[in-house]
Amino acid sequence: MPLHEFTALLILATAMSFSPGPNTTLSTAMAANHGLRHSLRFVAAVPVGWSLLLVLCALGIGALITGMPALRWGIKALGIAYLLWLAFKLSGNGQLAQAQPAQLRVGFVQGVLLQFVNIKAWLLALTIVAGWVAGQADFTARMLVVLPVMAFYALSSNLLYACIGAALRQWLATGRRLLWFNRGMAALLVLTALWMLRA
């Protein structure tokens, strides 16, 4: 892969991976409510699920889904419903003692599966396949570059957001700070769901 294409890939990966979205919002909220250790299963699941999604898109599943509006809308509806459900569960947590793990339980398998209803993940995977992989004579070599780069970005961005959430944990334990933080995170999930509806 030429250097200019690799540089463009890194710029796209940075912008998309580190901008707020469903994954980073959940990573932050889980770590803020339950600590960094609780969020690590989800943080590890994101690059695994995203890598599977990228491979499937590269093999043509993405074109199939974009070509079938009913299937695309079904995936979108599942993603929106899941984000709204998580926002509802999150918005009521006002104290660390009340924030039981069951209130925001997204384990490894759920984290992997969440990538398949995450419109931001689909858009990024389709963009990367169209721009860097599809129709190239060196398809396999390009995938061997793109896949670890994107998995690294998915892991590092979610880990960073989880560390921020964990760092805020003690500060959030005072007064109603956690409640307002959780409501803010819930609002971001709702805004993401609304964005997904329009995407």
Side-chain angles (χ1 to χ4, degrees):
M1 179 182 297
L3 181 60
H4 69 278
E5 287 187 36
F6 185 69
T7 303
L9 176 68
L10 294 181
I11 292 169
L12 176 68
T14 302
M16 291 296 287
S17 298
F18 287 94
S19 61
N23 292 326
T24 53
T25 302
L26 286 174
S27 296
T28 307
M30 282 190 279
N33 282 275
H34 308 296
L36 183 61
R37 185 174 178 185
H38 174 81
S39 67
L40 290 180
R41 285 187 306 256
F42 178 73
V43 168
V46 172
V48 172
W50 202 89
S51 296
L52 289 172
L53 179 63
L54 181 64
V55 169
L56 289 174
C57 285
L59 295 176
I61 298 295
L64 174 69
I65 289 172
T66 56
M68 296 178 65
L71 186 55
R72 182 175 178 267
W73 274 102
I75 291 171
K76 186 182 285 195
L78 283 172
I80 290 169
Y82 189 63
L83 288 180
L84 292 176
W85 178 79
L86 286 171
F88 172 74
K89 298 294 265 181
L90 183 59
S91 65
N93 290 338
Q95 296 177 359
L96 292 176
Q98 292 176 351
Q100 299 301 321
Q103 290 293 97
L104 194 58
R105 184 182 300 276
V106 183
F108 185 83
V109 173
Q110 288 172 304
V112 169
L113 294 177
L114 180 60
Q115 304 319 300
F116 291 88
V117 295
N118 180 347
I119 295 300
K120 184 179 176 186
W122 276 103
L123 291 174
L124 180 56
L126 291 170
T127 300
I128 288 173
V129 168
W132 282 268
V133 179
Q136 300 292 335
D138 56 345
F139 173 90
T140 304
R142 284 174 176 264
M143 281 300 289
L144 291 174
V145 170
V146 169
L147 197 56
V149 165
M150 295 311 299
F152 171 77
Y153 272 83
L155 178 65
S156 58
S157 64
N158 283 281
L159 184 58
L160 174 65
Y161 274 82
C163 287
I164 291 169
L168 291 173
R169 187 168 161 75
Q170 292 303 317
W171 182 78
L172 292 171
T174 304
R176 296 172 57 87
R177 291 175 181 166
L178 183 66
L179 176 64
W180 289 109
F181 174 83
N182 284 339
R183 287 180 177 171
M185 293 290 103
L188 284 177
L189 289 175
V190 170
L191 288 173
T192 302
L194 292 174
W195 173 82
M196 286 171 60
L197 188 60
R198 298 182 55 155

